[in-house]
Amino acid sequence: MNVLVLLAGLLFVFMAIIGGKKGIRSFIALFLNFGVIIMTVFFMNAPTLNPVILTLIACLFISCINLFYINEVNWTTKTAFLATILTTIVLVIFISLITNSAMIQGFGEEETEEMGMFSFYIGLDFVKIAVSVIIMSTIGAITDAAIAIASPMREMHFHHPNIERKELFRFGLSIGRDILGTSTNTLFFAFFGGYLALLIWFKDLSYSLGEIINSKVFSSELITICCAAIGVTLVIPITAYITAYFLVRKQADSTN
């Protein structure tokens, strides 16, 4: 507990020094997002509530915290928020289809020994739980990509107010191409960093490459990474189009 408090204190000091007021708001946003996730998990225990709907509502609150609370309400955060919601809705449909086809819900055979003493009849749809887990894993990356594209587009439009919508859209795409590689690689290495012990366990079990790939534990996490990468990719043109549309329209309305 003392280590956690010390690390949290160091994080707060560094974020306050480097980020100023926005850094302090970012630190507080960590706890707000944690509270939203805990409340979502709490309500998922109710069998009458749909876990996917609860996750979408949680993503709505998380997006508001990450965009409006940290960066305040402006045209950049509004367009990034709209792009995030649209991308998440599209991704939910895609993830639902993938989850039903891949059969990654539930527990893997490697986990049955440790959980054999517990009952698996908990009254929840594990397909919906799997969809909720993937959605929750992607919302942060999608929000980051959306604000990273909308912010420089707003600056470009501020310095060049007469820029055409198509040119502004192309500028947003160029920014998106620059962050696409780093974002997907971040997701990829986050997986292997967090599940390095799992890979070592597979080695101790003498799993072949085919058995590792077809393992439910491994494939579910890899599918999560792919879905997150798809979400980051989709949010780039969506954010670029929405931001270009609203900024140029705003400029036209102010001129008229």
Side-chain angles (χ1 to χ4, degrees):
M1 183 64 181
N2 293 332
V3 176
L4 294 176
V5 174
L6 176 61
L7 291 176
L10 289 175
L11 178 62
F12 174 78
V13 171
F14 291 148
M15 293 180 72
I17 293 175
I18 298 175
K21 292 182 179 180
K22 186 172 290 187
I24 296 175
R25 288 198 298 267
S26 300
F27 181 81
I28 298 174
L30 293 175
F31 295 92
L32 295 178
N33 289 329
F34 180 75
V36 171
I37 294 175
I38 293 299
M39 291 297 296
T40 304
V41 174
F42 176 79
F43 283 112
M44 279 185 182
N45 290 326
T48 57
L49 299 178
N50 192 321
V52 178
I53 301 299
L54 289 174
T55 305
L56 289 176
I57 296 174
C59 290
L60 185 68
F61 282 101
I62 291 173
S63 299
C64 290
I65 293 171
N66 293 340
L67 294 174
F68 297 136
Y69 177 72
I70 297 176
N71 300 288
E72 300 179 349
V73 180
N74 50 56
W75 279 102
T76 302
T77 54
K78 288 179 181 179
T79 53
F81 176 78
L82 182 58
T84 299
I85 297 303
L86 292 177
T87 304
T88 303
I89 293 174
V90 174
L91 204 59
V92 166
I93 300 174
F94 175 76
I95 291 174
S96 299
L97 297 175
I98 292 297
T99 304
N100 286 322
S101 301
M103 300 292 293
I104 60 173
Q105 69 276 4
F107 303 99
E109 59 181 6
E110 298 84 6
E111 302 169 303
T112 54
E113 183 177 351
E114 289 78 9
M115 305 190 67
M117 65 183 71
F118 300 104
S119 174
F120 292 96
Y121 299 99
I122 60 177
L124 295 176
D125 190 341
F126 274 89
V127 176
K128 295 178 181 179
I129 295 296
V131 173
S132 300
V133 170
I134 298 176
I135 295 172
M136 194 66 72
S137 301
T138 60
I139 185 63
I142 292 175
T143 306
D144 289 341
I147 193 65
I149 296 170
S151 182
M153 289 182 67
R154 178 186 167 185
E155 290 295 322
M156 172 63 75
H157 185 266
F158 176 78
H159 293 287
H160 303 278
N162 295 325
I163 188 173
E164 295 183 358
R165 182 179 300 168
K166 184 180 293 186
E167 294 180 1
L168 189 58
F169 174 73
R170 290 177 179 174
F171 175 75
L173 288 181
S174 66
I175 296 296
R177 295 188 187 102
D178 292 337
I179 68 172
L180 180 60
T182 56
S183 298
T184 52
N185 277 294
T186 299
L187 296 170
F188 179 77
F189 287 111
F191 162 75
F192 279 100
Y195 283 85
L196 184 60
L198 176 64
L199 299 177
I200 296 175
W201 186 26
F202 284 154
K203 179 181 178 299
D204 293 338
L205 294 175
S206 300
Y207 273 23
S208 64
L209 180 61
E211 289 174 327
I212 293 176
I213 295 176
N214 287 283
S215 172
K216 181 179 289 189
V217 178
F218 181 84
S219 60
S220 62
E221 296 301 326
L222 203 58
I223 288 175
T224 301
I225 295 175
C226 292
C227 291
I230 291 172
V232 172
T233 306
L234 287 177
V235 79
I236 291 173
I238 294 176
T239 304
Y241 178 82
I242 293 176
T243 305
Y245 176 81
F246 280 104
L247 289 178
V248 174
R249 180 179 178 182
K250 176 186 175 185
Q251 179 66 24
D253 293 340
S254 61
T255 304
N256 295 332

